[in-house]
Amino acid sequence: VQPVESGGDLVQPGGSLRLSCAFRGIITSQFNSNRMAWYRQVPGQQRELVASITSSGTTTYADSVKGRFTVSKDNARKKMYLQMNNLKPEDTAVYYCKHDNYPASAGQGTQVTVSL
């Protein structure tokens, strides 16, 4: 199973982006069987957990993004999303998605740059 992230872009502060995550090769029953999460990483810094969603739909967020980011999933499409609103320069990072059933699987990430 291979995570594939997309949707990153250059956006001005205060703008919005919607990231998508597909798990290539996953079957439907596996997709919704465990927690999924979005992480982000800035070069030279540790990877940070941004948001997660469990199989039952319970969501958690890093304090830095609460009220601005929303994680969701579409079981039929086998995709996870991250809606990011009111973006700030400190949100600039490469964003990755992961599925707890496949902790060793890593995608290429998608670059989000928030700048004037």
Side-chain angles (χ1 to χ4, degrees):
V1 172
Q2 177 70 43
V4 179
E5 303 91 348
S6 62
D9 205 344
L10 170 64
V11 63
Q12 293 187 353
S16 297
L17 283 175
R18 188 194 195 204
L19 306 184
S20 296
C21 170
F23 295 95
R24 189 173 296 163
I26 200 168
I27 60 176
T28 302
S29 60
Q30 284 294 313
F31 175 80
N32 197 38
S33 67
N34 211 335
R35 189 190 72 143
M36 296 177 286
W38 284 99
Y39 294 82
R40 65 187 181 187
Q41 188 164 23
V42 176
Q45 298 184 18
Q46 284 197 330
R47 188 169 292 194
E48 174 190 17
L49 175 62
V50 176
S52 67
I53 185 166
T54 68
S55 57
S56 62
T58 300
T59 57
T60 60
Y61 299 93
D63 287 343
S64 58
V65 307
K66 279 180 182 177
R68 301 188 297 121
F69 289 12
T70 302
V71 59
S72 62
K73 60 190 174 105
D74 185 329
N75 293 335
R77 295 179 183 272
K78 296 182 289 184
K79 285 192 172 183
M80 179 176 62
Y81 304 98
L82 185 67
Q83 178 66 42
M84 305 187 297
N85 298 328
N86 190 23
L87 282 160
K88 303 177 180 181
E90 52 263 42
D91 295 318
T92 296
V94 179
Y95 285 71
Y96 301 88
C97 59
K98 292 192 72 73
H99 194 293
D100 278 2
N101 280 2
Y102 309 98
S105 294
Q108 295 296 312
T110 187
Q111 176 71 49
V112 172
T113 303
V114 185
S115 179
L116 292 171

